Every structure is written in C-alpha cells, then in structure tokens.
Amino acid sequence: MGEPHELTMLEQAAAVRSGALSPTELARHYLARIERLNDAVGAYVTVTPERALDDAARAERRLAAGGELPPLLGVPVPVKDLTPVAGVRWTAGSAVFTDRVAASEPHVVDLLRAAGTVLLGKTNAPEFGLPAYTEGRIAPPARSPYDPALMAGGSSGGAAAAVAAGLAPAAHGSDGGGSIRIPASCCGVVGLKPSRGRVSWAPFGDLTGLAVTGPIARTVRDTAALLDVMAGPVPGDPMPMAALGAAGTSGASSFLEWCAREPRRLRIGRWARPDVDVPVDPVVLAAYERTSALLAGLGHEVVDVEQPLGPGDHGSFDPVWEVMALLAPVPAGREGELMPLTRWLRERGRAASGERFALAMAAMQAVGRKFAAAVAPFDAVLTPTLARLPQPVGTLRDDADPAADFAAQYAFTPFTGAWNIAGLPAVSLPVEWTDGGLPIGMMLGAPHGAEGPLLALAAQVEAAAPWRQRRPVAW
C-alpha cells in the first residue's frame, strides 16, 4: 500500500473501510508529518492532535458498530482558519484574534463531521482572507512545497500547501476572488470554486455573493467527492441551489459520479488576455497553448473568444471588497494591530457611503451578467489560472504602500475574480509544469450550476495528462 499519505483521499477512505488502515494510524501518520514538515511550508496555523485522535477513535467505534458508514470515515480534512470550528482556536489570520476560540461553527463544518472526517487542525490564511498571498504575523508564510522560496498563494494558501506537501489528503477552502484557485495553481493541486449557492454559508450571512466554500485535493475525483460532502442548501439561504439528485434536477446523483462520465464533444471558449492591462508570462502562455491543443486532441472544439470584460469592469469589485474588509469585528483600540493592507482596505470601506456601496453592488452585478452571458454559449472556458508563475515569498506584499500591494495582486491574478463576480464555477488544474518542475495551473470554468459537466471534463483532462505522480522533494 505504501505510505498512507501517498494514497488519495478516496483510497484512504476505502482502506479504512476494508480494515487495511485504521483511522488512528492515519491520524498519527499525518500528525507526525505535520510536526516534521509544517514549519517549512506554513500549512497549519493551529494543529489539534487531541481532537484528531478523538475523531479517529470515534471513527473506529463507528466501524466496529457496522451498518451504513459515512463516505469519508476516518479521513483527515483540515479546515481553513477563516472558518470557525467550535472549541478550536480561530484567528482568521489576524494577530488581533491570536487567542480567540470559536463558540460555534457553520453548516459546512457540520457536514464535514457528519461525513466522518478527522480534524487535524486549521490551515494558514492571511488576515481576513483579503490578500492573494498567505503571509501574516501569526504564523510562518505559506510556501509552495515545490520550491519553499515561492509563495503558496492565498487566501487558502495553507490548505493548498498542506495537500501538496502530503500533510492532508484534501482540504476545506474558500474563494472570494480566486482564493482556492490561486494557491491550487501555486502548489500544483486541484482547486474548485463552486457556483454561487452550491455550498451554504449558514448560519452566516452572504452579503455580496462573492465568497464560496470549496474543496482542494490532489485529484479531480477527490475534489468531486469532497464537494459532494460540502454541497447542499439550508432553508433561508439567499441564493440556494438544489442538491444533485433532488426533484427537478437532472444528470448524475453525485459529483463523483460525474467524474466517471466521458464528456461528449464540447464547445470550449478560450482567452488569455486579462481584463486589466497587465502582461502574461510567456511561459504561462505557452502552457495555455499546450492545454488548448490537449483539449482539441480530446475531440473538443476550442474557440478563440475576445476577453468579455472591458477597462474598468473589474474595478466594480474594489469598493465591494473594501466594505467586505470591515465585516470582521475588530475590538475598539486594536485597529492598529492589523496588517497595513487590511487597515488600508478598511479605511476605504469606511469612507464608502451606503449609496456608493449600493451603486458598486449594482455595477458589479451588471459586470457579472456581462461575463456570464459571454460564458453561456460554451460548455466550458479555458484561461490560465494566473498571469505569472508562483512568485517569491514577499514579492506581492508591500506594507509601505498598500495600494501598490493591491495592484500587484491584480497583476498576478487577473483571471480569477470575474468568476466570483458572476458566481460561476471554475477549477484550477495542475496540467502544466515548467522544465524546472514548478506547477502552472490552467483554469476551466463553466456556466452556473455546471460543476458536474465541468468535473467530467477535468477528469478527462487528468486522465490524458496525469499529475498524481508529481511530488515535491519533501514528499
């Protein structure tokens, strides 16, 4: 069987069910790896060994009792530290909340527990999830396991680093402007941003519809299986989507089932020109062309499309993001302890009147409709995930000039945010790699609600250009 961390998430679940691997053995294996390797990659901000072993013991009792078993019984899945887990430290990436312990947790955490997962800990995230890098004051920076001099991306940087380094088989993430797909690209793993409404935020609010919860894993099938666990509406959700298999829905009854379906000949649009005036690395463009050829070789029609957004369209996102930065309730007198970028965004958010925010939301929704209309004629759309290769740690962060910091993030990630604005699903796949062994993520997106067909296409791509055997030196 090899080392437990060499197994995929689904293989671990099968090994637990068969008795070939015990949940306690699996948890101890990962805890030992985290102790040995975490400082080098900055994957976890909080490790919960007692909770992990308690969860594993509970899974073993469930196995002994027999009967129907949950799908991921005994399998470790960490939670991003922007999301609370009751009884566990919850920093949201901020030194202001270094010692905070969560009193409650959202529905998605309940679903992960009901699926039988084991909590190894909370993964590293930047302050309030605002930047596209994971470099804060409460933990070492999250780094790409393929080159620890390079950033893991953000804001789910710790989650992607954990999966890539073999410190978790899969991980919970969240994405408000690329925060699952950016680190997936930097770390050479699969990261899926679901459609708006696919995964409930209950009981928390969903003010703008930008941010969604989603899976990060090494394979497309693991990604689909983790989405199966996370997905589902809660009564009262502002933008609910019916669960797969529910009355009135069509297609497969699970996202994992979709991965076994051979896609028909698809019409795939593509563009590689950003919607802001920034250059794209020629190495990334060459990878994009090879991926286009791969899709055509699989029998799909690949169509060149003009960038659907124009100058200024993406800027509708900015005032909304600035107001979102205010949602964290920082205690009085502690604003000065926040990161410079966070303070800058919050100051700009406070300066926004209610009228300006309402107008910005309306403008952003108009841009989202424009983008969705451009995607609608296609079964899928291909773009690079990022405009550049993973950057050295500290390259984007500029504490002396937060405006320059924000602009640098745009230049690095010009392709991801539009999918959040429109609420459409998109997945970053580690299809391409440099000659030096660095991952180059390619992004496939689809119309709203089309995660199933999107995952079927992603699984086909993985079968044609497998990446599972690509592992960092520390593996």
Side-chain angles (χ1 to χ4, degrees):
M1 185 174 69
E3 291 291 317
H5 67 276
E6 295 175 354
L7 302 175
T8 67
M9 181 188 76
L10 286 171
E11 288 169 348
Q12 289 179 8
V16 167
R17 285 169 176 265
S18 70
L21 187 62
S22 81
T24 297
E25 175 188 3
L26 186 57
R28 290 190 185 280
H29 177 80
Y30 275 113
L31 290 169
R33 286 183 62 80
I34 291 166
E35 184 175 7
R36 187 169 75 252
L37 300 172
N38 188 57
D39 286 349
V41 295
Y44 288 84
V45 66
T46 300
V47 183
T48 56
E50 292 183 3
R51 168 68 179 268
L53 295 176
D54 285 346
D55 287 350
R58 187 177 302 110
E60 290 176 5
R61 291 193 296 271
R62 186 76 181 267
L63 280 166
E68 185 175 354
L69 300 175
L72 300 181
L73 186 66
V75 177
V77 177
V79 173
K80 181 178 176 180
D81 200 33
L82 297 188
T83 298
V85 175
V88 178
R89 188 170 78 132
W90 173 34
T91 74
S94 178
V96 172
F97 298 115
T98 299
D99 299 318
R100 178 174 61 177
V101 174
S104 62
E105 59 198 24
H107 178 64
V108 70
V109 174
D110 294 337
L111 292 176
L112 290 170
R113 182 180 296 108
T117 64
V118 169
L119 183 72
L120 294 171
K122 304 293 291 298
T123 55
N124 198 1
E127 194 164 64
F128 308 155
L130 296 171
Y133 50 80
T134 303
E135 301 165 25
R137 291 174 176 159
I138 62 169
R143 301 172 181 271
S144 172
Y146 286 91
D147 183 346
L150 305 179
M151 57 186 250
S155 63
S156 303
V163 174
L167 305 185
H172 158 283
S174 59
D175 189 317
S179 287
I180 285 174
R181 293 157 289 154
I182 295 163
S185 182
C186 290
C187 294
V189 294
V190 180
L192 173 67
K193 184 204 87 67
S195 296
R196 182 176 295 151
R198 179 67 75 187
V199 180
S200 176
W201 277 112
F204 302 118
D206 186 13
L207 179 65
T208 66
L210 285 171
V212 294
T213 296
I216 296 173
R218 286 166 47 210
T219 69
V220 173
R221 292 184 75 248
D222 281 1
T223 303
L226 190 51
L227 181 60
D228 279 326
V229 166
M230 292 177 166
V234 170
D237 280 351
M239 293 168 278
M241 292 187 67
L244 288 186
T249 62
S250 60
S253 61
S254 73
F255 294 112
L256 182 58
E257 185 182 329
W258 270 106
C259 293
R261 297 190 170 195
E262 187 70 17
R264 58 178 172 77
R265 176 176 165 82
L266 303 178
R267 189 164 186 260
I268 301 175
R270 71 165 202 158
W271 63 77
R273 184 176 69 82
D275 60 1
V276 290
D277 186 19
V278 298
V280 180
D281 190 317
V283 175
V284 173
L285 290 174
Y288 161 80
E289 294 293 348
R290 291 192 298 270
T291 304
S292 299
L294 172 66
L295 291 168
L298 291 170
H300 303 301
E301 178 189 8
V302 180
V303 181
D304 283 309
V305 181
E306 286 295 316
Q307 164 61 248
L309 301 185
D313 280 346
H314 210 132
S316 65
F317 173 94
D318 295 357
V320 177
W321 198 247
E322 291 159 6
V323 172
M324 285 180 66
L326 289 170
L327 295 181
V330 175
R334 302 196 65 180
E335 196 81 13
E337 299 175 43
L338 298 175
M339 300 290 290
L341 176 67
T342 306
R343 294 199 306 271
W344 180 76
L345 288 169
R346 287 167 68 90
E347 287 165 4
R348 292 172 67 87
R350 285 193 189 91
S353 66
E355 178 185 19
R356 179 172 179 255
F357 178 67
L359 291 171
M361 282 292 296
M364 190 178 75
Q365 289 174 0
V367 170
R369 291 187 183 97
K370 180 179 178 181
F371 186 83
V375 172
F378 301 98
D379 298 296
V381 166
L382 170 71
T383 74
T385 305
L386 301 172
R388 304 178 192 171
L389 298 176
Q391 300 291 291
V393 171
T395 299
L396 302 184
R397 178 177 164 181
D398 188 341
D399 289 351
D401 188 348
D405 180 317
F406 201 62
Q409 294 181 59
Y410 258 143
F412 184 53
T413 67
F415 297 106
T416 56
W419 298 90
N420 298 79
I421 292 172
L424 309 184
V427 61
S428 180
L429 302 174
V431 181
E432 284 288 334
W433 300 74
T434 68
D435 292 340
L438 291 179
I440 310 173
M442 291 288 119
M443 185 164 61
L444 288 167
H448 189 262
E451 287 95 332
L454 180 62
L455 285 163
L457 174 60
Q460 184 187 43
V461 169
E462 182 178 17
W467 52 75
R468 178 178 172 181
Q469 296 308 314
R470 290 188 178 271
R471 299 168 179 172
V473 173
W475 186 267

